[in-house]
Amino acid sequence: MTTASPPVPAAVPETGSVYNRNFWLAYLANVSLVSANALTFRFAEFISFLGGTEHIAGTVVGAGVAGALVARLLMGQGIDHYGTRRLWLGGGIVFLLACGTFTAIAAGWNPGGSGPRGSQVTWPIYAARVAFSVSIATMFTCSIVHIQNLVPAGRRTEVIGNLGSSGFIGMVAGAQAGDLIFRLLPAGRPQFLALFGGTAALGVVYFVLVRLITRNDNHVRPSSTPPAHRLLLRYWPGAVLLVAVMMGIGFAVTTVFLTRFATQLGAKNGVGTFFTAYALSAFLFRVSARNWSRTIGRHKMILLGLAGHFVGFALLTLVRTEWHFLFPALASGFGHALLFPAVVSLGSGAFPKEYRGSGTTLVLGFLDLGTALSAPILGGVIDSFGGTGFVEMFWLAAGAAAVIGVFYAMTAARRPDEDVLRARAEAAAAAVPVVFRDVTAVPDPADEPVAVPFPHVGRSA
């Protein structure tokens, strides 16, 4: 039996503040989670420390994302059925278990024996990475579903974007902390103990904040919770899912292989330089473009975002020293700033509110699909050139952004955007002048009330 409060009413004003205590707690929680995740951007370095290759790193990451993708088939249904609170807190517990496992492996725990080519990359690494990816997917999804359910439809893109700006702060903090750890601590085991220990500590902070955010949550359970595949077929969002796949490819490039590229160049602070510029660029563009969904529309935001990714990946091929990372970071940050809120809003908006959990989960699942499919391929491209094929890998990602951008422009972008239509209707309604009657004027006979005989007849006393 569930106790439920009524859902957010449709009459929630389109104006007025939605940035209350709950929003800012969610903002702070997202900073801590993204900071924790950014500390793991050196995961490929960890695999190398254990004796693995670039392809093995891509395979481990791909396995983790594939696990998250499978979990998403049940996650959305679980959110719709049980509510965000239970799934959110459960994801936090799994995250802490995964971080504890990474820390133990970094400390020398290795029950799996020897892996491929004598490496220590064995089943515990795969299991922990799957748990880590599933927990990250769960927590991010619950956060987005939670904030969407608190605001009116016309402001969903705006609030998703503004909440997401917290991630850029976390990205800077986490990337810089990772660089600091690698600069100050002895190479090898001490570095990875500090990385994963710090990730676990931030996970504890996040868990406490989520408990505060959701302590008064009540859940309205739908009369039925269809499985994910039925909902996806019934409310198919269209070509925006292909853009989500492209975003996943971009995450594989920047969060998995970029650290290895920086290491090969000998740029000790390259990752921090890139992600600091990336995050600052994304933060500034996200704030500046917070109303673009209602002015230029989400379709144009997506096309501009894909162009930003194309330019960013192309510029990475020209990087030869640390400061060169600034230019691709600015372009890629611009792309991320526009893509994420537009894709999530368009994709999840295709589903009715009672299935918003499933809708958001499925859209983010296609992002995971892009990472899962591309990580082994991109790692294989690098290895096929003797471990130095980073330029070829960047061009492959840039080509994917270009092809998907052209396809989207020829299909979904041709349709009108509901956010723009809604904003225009509101502006038109606000522009209608209010007519005040001149009480000194001679009354118009047409305005006089019609006399009705026996007006009391038919009325209750």
Side-chain angles (χ1 to χ4, degrees):
M1 180 177 179
T2 58
T3 58
S5 61
V8 178
V12 174
E14 291 288 329
T15 59
S17 178
V18 293
Y19 303 107
N20 51 25
R21 175 178 177 273
N22 213 25
F23 173 86
W24 290 112
L25 282 174
Y27 197 94
L28 182 59
N30 211 42
V31 170
S32 64
L33 180 59
V34 176
S35 297
N37 189 41
L39 281 174
T40 69
F41 286 174
R42 291 183 177 271
F43 189 77
E45 299 275 6
F46 183 49
I47 296 298
S48 179
F49 165 71
L50 296 175
T53 64
E54 309 299 341
H55 180 68
I56 290 176
T59 302
V60 174
V61 171
V65 179
L69 188 60
V70 172
R72 285 192 186 279
L73 297 177
L74 301 174
M75 188 189 306
Q77 194 174 9
I79 292 173
D80 294 337
H81 190 79
Y82 297 107
T84 55
R85 177 179 170 82
R86 293 184 182 180
L87 273 292
W88 208 347
L89 293 174
I93 293 171
V94 174
F95 179 81
L96 292 174
L97 292 173
C99 292
T101 304
F102 287 140
T103 306
I105 293 171
W109 179 68
N110 183 29
S114 296
R117 301 180 185 179
S119 73
Q120 299 177 45
V121 182
T122 52
W123 68 265
I125 282 283
Y126 285 87
R129 186 69 195 194
V130 169
F132 180 85
S133 298
V134 169
S135 64
I136 288 286
T138 302
M139 292 185 291
F140 276 130
T141 301
C142 288
S143 176
I144 294 171
V145 172
H146 177 80
I147 206 67
Q148 283 188 96
N149 287 338
L150 298 180
V151 299
R155 301 187 70 180
R156 283 190 301 109
T157 309
E158 171 198 341
V159 174
I160 290 171
N162 286 338
L163 177 65
S165 68
S166 62
F168 304 130
I169 298 173
M171 190 180 294
V172 172
Q176 290 293 340
D179 277 356
L180 187 65
I181 287 170
F182 265 61
R183 187 164 57 248
L184 298 180
L185 295 182
R189 200 175 304 280
Q191 295 174 331
F192 296 108
L193 284 172
L195 280 179
F196 295 120
T199 303
L202 288 167
V204 172
V205 173
Y206 183 81
F207 185 83
V208 172
L209 288 171
V210 170
R211 283 185 61 87
L212 289 174
I213 293 166
T214 61
R215 62 182 176 178
N216 296 321
D217 275 13
N218 292 313
H219 177 58
V220 179
R221 181 180 295 180
S223 55
S224 64
T225 51
H229 67 279
R230 291 184 184 177
L231 289 174
L232 184 62
L233 293 175
R234 185 185 305 173
Y235 303 109
W236 181 254
V240 70
L241 297 180
L242 196 58
V243 181
V245 170
M246 181 61 233
M247 291 176 64
I249 297 173
F251 285 139
V253 172
T254 56
T255 65
V256 179
F257 298 110
L258 197 64
T259 59
R260 299 294 298 148
F261 177 58
T263 299
Q264 185 188 76
L265 289 178
K268 293 184 178 180
N269 298 323
V271 177
T273 300
F274 177 87
F275 282 110
T276 298
Y278 181 103
L280 290 175
S281 167
F283 183 88
L284 292 174
F285 282 117
R286 177 70 59 82
V287 173
S288 302
R290 62 186 180 276
N291 294 321
W292 282 14
S293 66
R294 296 163 61 84
T295 53
I296 69 172
R298 291 169 291 183
H299 296 312
K300 288 184 180 178
M301 289 175 67
I302 286 175
L303 292 176
L304 289 172
L306 289 171
H309 272 327
F310 171 81
V311 173
F313 296 144
L315 288 176
L316 279 171
T317 65
L318 304 178
V319 171
R320 296 295 180 270
T321 187
E322 185 175 318
W323 68 270
H324 291 171
F325 281 105
L326 291 172
F327 303 108
L330 293 174
S332 296
F334 170 78
H336 185 159
L338 300 187
L339 281 179
F340 190 83
V343 168
V344 173
S345 177
L346 271 171
S348 63
F351 297 79
K353 184 174 181 180
E354 61 268 27
Y355 301 127
R356 189 66 49 75
S358 291
T360 304
T361 299
L362 288 168
V363 172
L364 296 178
F366 275 82
L367 191 154
D368 287 343
L369 179 64
T371 304
L373 293 178
S374 66
I377 296 173
L378 297 174
V381 169
I382 296 170
D383 283 345
S384 66
F385 288 86
T388 61
F390 290 99
V391 169
E392 290 77 11
M393 182 267 291
F394 292 142
W395 277 121
L396 180 62
V403 170
I404 290 174
V406 171
F407 180 79
Y408 192 85
M410 296 175 62
T411 54
R414 294 178 178 271
R415 294 192 291 269
D417 184 352
E418 290 181 3
D419 272 13
V420 174
L421 297 178
R422 187 184 293 110
R424 288 175 181 172
E426 291 169 5
V432 174
V434 178
V435 179
F436 295 95
R437 185 170 182 174
D438 185 359
V439 295
T440 64
V442 177
D444 187 343
D447 291 338
E448 294 299 316
V450 178
V452 180
F454 309 108
H456 61 281
V457 176
R459 295 182 184 176
S460 58

